[in-house]
Amino acid sequence: MTDRIEPHRSVGDIGSNHSEIDIQRAQYGRFPQFVHSPQPSIILVHTMSFEPSPGPLASLSRPARGSPVPGVPAPHRPGLPRTPVVSHAFSSIEALQRALVQPQFEVFQVHPGRFETTIVRAVPRPGLAASLGESAAAVRSRGVLAPDATDVVVVIDAPGHAYFNGIALKPGLVLVMPAGLEFEGHAPAGFRWANLHLTAEDLLRATRALTGRGFELPAREILVRPTLPADEAALPALHEAGQASPGGSTGPTAESVVETWLGIVARALAGAGPDDLSGARRLGDRHRVFLAAEAHLRSRVTEPVYMSELCHATGVSERTLEYVFRERLGLTPIAYLANLRLNLARLALVEGASAPSASVATVARRFGFLHLGRFAARYRAQFQESPSTTLRRHVVAGAGPAAKA
């Protein structure tokens, strides 16, 4: 028995015996998007969302004395303020969403397991921030970046499938994303990144000051450049050093963390031009097929979906569809659909907790789970808690009705 979807079999009626077997054999899946939001949203860009703390910065565009030591953030120079870095730990998607100021940002858990994301924030002044992050759970994200700043991501580690707007992410890659960019992406478990959040003018000025060379910053495309070999070799150690003793008197300061990563980014971007735009690195037709299939599945998330109609909607064969989904997410379309429904069911439980009619059974049926016991078992495997626990916790938080099964 395989987890292939037969051309005329429904992948939508999760209560049917055939779909039950297929979904049990398929590996639990990947990511979705909130269906209630027309705007899409990677966990790479958390920096766009937290309220910054004050501090100065013109001096950070000056090169530090001495050459950087691999594995050690730039030394804290006298004359710079000593703004502490702050560590944030998120044990659930809801906790992460609450911390994000940016409204158009959606995150879904892809594979079963505990959701754990740690982000260390360094904010030496408003409008300038660095974040060092690591996620223990695979996530699929969509959204729109902040309209008033540029985000720069340095990929530290990307085990497995990692993509951003169709760009395959590899360690050492630097992505410069213009303000207001609409994006979608997938980050596997163990994904580690550094992120700078600053104005385009600050980025260009710092690059010229640190390297003596500028670069062309596109208005709508993503700029993609590799880090220098010496910098790439030091990235993991620098990432760990930047997270050491956050907030303590012996740990790194926000100024030293920003200076370290600004130097790495500036050296990578010096001399960048049109050949480094993301268009040349996109995955082309396969990525467009994936996005079309995903959009069709999300539009029919509460209805039975047949593989034949999914092939018709994308214009490709069943074999091609399965290849595309496995390439991007490491799972089949049926596993993705099951995962999408589980994540949307969790969202419905969280957002509907204050409604008098809120119940696990109602939510399960809405998303095609006809057998409440099987839904509860899958939900627990995916999120490490029962659906009634999710509902009850948010009922208590919102002072709503008692949770009902």
Side-chain angles (χ1 to χ4, degrees):
M1 186 113 186
T2 68
D3 61 0
R4 291 188 63 183
I5 308 170
E6 296 301 326
H8 299 289
R9 286 242 314 274
S10 166
V11 300
D13 182 3
I14 299 181
S16 70
N17 292 333
H18 292 296
S19 295
E20 194 73 47
I21 294 171
D22 283 344
I23 292 170
Q24 288 176 347
R25 293 186 62 83
Q27 290 183 342
Y28 270 88
R30 225 23 269 199
F31 107 99
Q33 163 188 354
F34 297 169
V35 293
H36 70 273
S37 171
Q39 293 283 3
S41 185
I42 186 168
I43 209 160
L44 330 175
V45 287
H46 292 304
T47 53
M48 68 183 183
S49 311
F50 293 87
E51 295 291 350
S53 54
L57 165 71
S59 56
L60 290 183
S61 345
R62 299 198 307 265
R65 296 175 182 171
S67 57
V69 179
V72 179
H76 187 87
R77 290 182 280 124
L80 287 182
R82 296 189 61 87
T83 308
V85 299
V86 180
S87 179
H88 304 267
F90 303 101
S91 59
S92 70
I93 291 177
E94 304 86 71
L96 175 61
Q97 292 284 169
R98 285 195 298 270
L100 296 175
V101 177
Q102 183 72 14
Q104 296 177 359
F105 190 93
E106 305 163 352
V107 184
F108 282 84
Q109 183 174 335
V110 172
H111 293 297
R114 185 174 299 280
F115 182 91
E116 293 179 353
T117 295
T118 303
I119 302 172
V120 171
R121 292 271 297 159
V123 188
R125 71 154 168 82
L128 176 72
S131 292
L132 307 177
E134 180 173 2
S135 178
V139 295
R140 171 76 170 159
S141 307
R142 302 174 65 91
V144 180
L145 295 181
D148 56 352
T150 296
D151 279 280
V152 184
V153 171
V154 182
V155 181
I156 311 300
D157 195 14
H161 311 273
Y163 296 94
F164 186 86
N165 278 19
I167 302 167
L169 302 181
K170 304 296 181 184
L173 211 58
V174 175
L175 288 80
V176 182
M177 295 166 284
L181 177 74
E182 185 173 335
F183 67 91
E184 54 80 26
H186 164 245
F191 187 84
R192 295 192 295 164
W193 73 93
N195 184 201
L196 286 172
H197 181 75
L198 69 173
T199 66
E201 293 74 19
D202 277 345
L203 179 59
L204 290 167
R205 185 169 63 249
T207 300
R208 292 191 188 99
L210 292 169
T211 68
R213 302 175 68 190
F215 66 95
E216 296 183 35
L217 185 63
R220 302 184 64 84
E221 286 279 359
I222 300 173
L223 191 64
V224 183
R225 290 275 283 187
T227 53
L228 299 184
D231 285 332
E232 181 178 350
L235 290 180
L238 285 169
H239 191 269
E240 293 180 9
Q243 294 179 304
S245 304
S249 58
T250 60
T253 63
E255 290 76 17
S256 66
V257 170
V258 168
E259 185 166 321
T260 294
W261 293 98
L262 196 56
I264 290 172
V265 166
R267 290 188 289 274
L269 295 181
D275 291 342
D276 300 296
L277 296 181
S278 59
R281 295 173 181 257
R282 291 185 186 277
L283 299 180
D285 291 341
R286 294 202 301 274
H287 191 63
R288 285 191 288 272
V289 166
F290 170 74
L291 292 179
E294 180 188 48
H296 186 80
L297 290 174
R298 286 191 281 110
S299 70
R300 300 286 304 278
V301 73
T302 61
E303 307 169 23
V305 180
Y306 294 89
M307 194 65 182
S308 57
E309 71 178 81
L310 193 56
C311 292
H312 182 266
T314 56
V316 299
S317 67
E318 178 184 342
R319 181 177 181 180
T320 298
L321 265 182
E322 291 205 0
Y323 176 81
V324 166
F325 269 76
R326 288 187 183 278
E327 180 186 47
R328 268 146 194 75
L329 309 179
L331 75 167
T332 63
I334 191 172
Y336 172 83
L337 181 60
N339 174 269
L340 174 61
R341 286 171 164 158
L342 284 170
N343 276 272
L344 291 175
R346 182 178 181 87
L347 176 64
L349 289 171
V350 170
E351 293 192 339
S354 59
S357 60
S359 74
V360 172
T362 300
V363 169
R365 286 193 297 270
R366 186 193 313 169
F367 293 102
F369 296 95
L370 306 183
H371 191 291
L372 188 57
R374 291 174 186 148
F375 166 71
R378 289 194 188 119
Y379 189 99
R380 183 185 292 276
Q382 180 77 7
F383 302 114
Q384 305 298 292
E385 68 177 16
S386 69
S388 58
T389 298
T390 301
L391 180 61
R392 188 179 303 112
R393 183 174 63 253
H394 289 279
V395 164
V396 171
K404 296 178 286 184

